[in-house]
Amino acid sequence: MYAITITEPGGPDVLRWTEVPAPTPAAGEVLLDVAATAMNRADVQQRQGNYPPPPGASDVLGLECSGVIAELGDGVTDWHVGDEVCALLAGGGYAQRVAVPATQLLPVPSGVSLIDAAALPEVACTVWSNVVMTARLRGDEVLLVHGGGGGIGTHAIQVAKALGATVAVTAGSAAKLERCRELGADITINYREQDFVEELRKATDGHGADVVLDNMGAKYLERNVDVLAKDGHLVVIGLQGGRKAELDLAQMLAKRASVSATGLRGRPVTGPASKAEVVQAVGAHVWPMVADGRVRPVVHTTMPASEAARAHELLDSADVFGKIVLTLR
Ligand SMILES: NC(=O)c1ccc[n+]([C@@H]2O[C@H](COP(=O)([O-])OP(=O)(O)OC[C@H]3O[C@@H](n4cnc5c(N)ncnc54)[C@H](OP(=O)(O)O)[C@@H]3O)[C@@H](O)[C@H]2O)c1
C-alpha cells in the first residue's frame, strides 16, 4: 500500500508518498480500506518532530479517517466486511489501509458522504469529551470557543447551539467571524483587535463564560480565568500560546472555578476515560445531531493525500475555515 511518510522532522517538503507494508488487524481490531483522512494541527507538530506517536501507535500521520471495512480481527462481532465507517485513530490515517480498534469506529452518519465523514471523528470526540463530558455545558449557559474558525471551533459552535447554549467565538478576521455567525455563533470577537474579556462581559451583561474551550494555553490562562462566570469551567485542549503560566488561585476560589486540560490521543483504548467511552458517547449524542442536520462537517477543501505537502502549507496559511480532507483512493 501507499502512505505518506516523513523522511526527517521538518517542513511540508519532508512528506513523501511512499510504498510501505500494509498493517494487519490484531484481535479486537478491523482493517480499513481508507477513503479519506482529515488534517489536524497535531499532524504539523508530529511532522516537525514535536509530537511523537504514543507507544504502539503507527508512526504514519493521521488521527482520523473514513473507509470501508476490509477485514475483521479475532473477536470483532459488531461490524461486517463492507461496512462504511469513520474512525478515531492514534495514527496511521495518511495511508491506504489502517488497523484500528473496533471500539473506535462509528458508522458514516446518514446524509454525510464517505469522504466528508473523515472530518468528523477527531473534532466530535474532542468537543464532546471536553465541553460536555468534562465541563458539563448546559443549554442555558454561555460557551466561549477560541479559534471559532478552526476544525474544532466550527464543530464546537454547532454542537453547543444544538444543545441550546449561547456561543461566543474568537477568530483572527472579520471574514471568519462572519462564517462563525452563519454556523450559529451569537457573539463574535476579533482577537487581533478586541479584548475578549471586555467584549464577552459587555455582550452578556457582565456574566462572562460558563465554559471556555481554549486552544491557546499559557498566553490566555489569566484572561480565560478572568472571563469565567461563577462556577465556570476552563477546558484547555491546545497549547498554541505556550505551556506554562501562573494561575490566580484566589480568583479561582472566589469564582468556584475549575480548570481541566485533556488530550484525546493518549487516552487508553478501553476502560475508564478511554477512547471507547468517548466514541460511544459521540455515537449516542452527536451522531443524531449530524443525522438531523444540526451539525455538519465543515470542509474547507479536499485534495489527494499524495499532495499532503501542499495541504500542510495550506494549514499553516491561516486561510482555512474548518477542516482539510485528504483522499486516499
Ligand atoms: N487536546 C486534544 O485532545 C485536542 C484534539 C484536537 C485538537 N486539539 C488542539 O485544538 C486546537 C485547535 O485544533 P484545530 O484542529 O481546530 O486547529 P486549526 O483548525 O488549525 O485551528 C487553529 C485555530 O487557532 C486559532 N488561533 C490562532 N491564534 C489565536 C489566538 N491568538 N486566539 C484565538 N485563536 C487563535 C486560529 O484562528 P484564526 O485562523 O482565526 O487566526 C484557528 O482557528 C489546536 O491547538 C489543536 O492542537 C487538541
Side-chain angles (χ1 to χ4, degrees):
M1 70 166 192
Y2 278 82
I4 290 289
T5 59
I6 300 174
T7 49
E8 59 185 327
D13 57 323
V14 302
L15 301 172
R16 296 285 155 74
W17 185 238
T18 322
E19 195 166 4
V20 296
T24 47
E29 292 185 341
V30 305
L31 183 69
L32 295 183
D33 266 333
V34 178
T37 185
M39 286 186 62
N40 285 280
R41 197 132 287 272
D43 303 349
V44 174
Q45 291 166 287
Q46 185 170 334
R47 186 199 76 211
Q48 292 167 336
N50 300 325
Y51 190 42
S58 166
D59 59 3
V60 171
L61 299 181
L63 299 177
E64 57 192 331
C65 73
S66 59
V68 178
I69 297 181
E71 202 179 316
L72 301 177
D74 286 346
V76 178
T77 52
D78 297 350
W79 300 93
H80 303 97
V81 169
D83 284 351
E84 292 194 337
V85 295
C86 51
L88 180 69
L89 306 173
Y94 287 34
Q96 290 178 320
R97 290 195 145 191
V98 68
V100 55
T103 47
Q104 285 164 223
L105 298 178
L106 286 157
V108 172
S110 61
V112 174
S113 71
L114 179 62
I115 299 296
D116 285 358
L120 284 171
E122 178 78 11
V123 292
C125 290
T126 302
V127 169
W128 193 262
S129 61
N130 285 284
V131 172
V132 178
M133 295 169 78
T134 300
R136 309 240 161 248
L137 180 75
R138 296 192 315 255
D140 59 349
E141 291 187 327
V142 178
L143 171 69
L144 170 61
V145 179
H146 287 301
I152 295 286
T154 51
H155 184 80
I157 294 168
Q158 298 179 81
V159 168
K161 286 314 295 175
L163 292 171
T166 300
V167 179
V169 296
T170 60
S173 73
K176 283 195 182 183
L177 289 171
E178 180 51 35
R179 295 195 63 187
C180 291
R181 264 197 191 277
E182 288 164 13
L183 283 179
D186 304 284
I187 301 161
T188 55
I189 303 166
N190 187 327
Y191 69 75
R192 294 185 202 278
E193 296 169 359
Q194 295 171 295
D195 175 51
F196 68 81
V197 180
E198 205 177 296
E199 294 301 322
L200 188 59
R201 283 210 191 114
K202 221 186 315 173
T204 57
D205 293 330
H207 177 81
D210 299 290
V211 175
V212 178
L213 182 62
D214 175 63
N215 58 345
M216 295 304 292
K219 184 173 174 186
Y220 277 3
L221 183 66
E222 186 178 350
R223 283 195 288 154
N224 278 336
V225 173
D226 267 358
V227 85
L228 280 182
K230 289 265 166 28
D231 296 303
H233 200 142
L234 163 64
V235 265
V236 180
I237 60 164
L239 304 173
Q240 291 170 220
R243 56 194 292 181
K244 287 190 183 170
E246 276 189 21
L247 182 60
D248 182 344
L249 290 170
Q251 212 187 164
M252 297 281 297
L253 188 148
K255 291 185 174 186
R256 301 179 297 277
S258 312
V259 180
S260 302
T262 84
L264 185 58
R265 195 184 195 185
R267 284 179 184 260
V269 172
T270 55
S274 61
K275 289 179 191 158
E277 208 173 73
V278 174
V279 169
Q280 200 272 335
V282 164
H285 300 287
V286 183
W287 254 222
M289 298 175 181
V290 181
D292 69 17
R294 283 176 294 163
V295 174
R296 309 298 301 161
V298 180
V299 176
H300 177 82
T301 189
T302 301
M303 54 178 83
S306 52
E307 294 178 29
R310 194 163 66 82
H312 275 231
E313 278 166 19
L314 181 61
L315 190 67
D316 281 342
S317 73
D319 288 337
V320 178
F321 186 83
K323 301 277 289 186
I324 299 173
V325 169
L326 302 174
T327 54
L328 273 300
R329 288 178 170 183

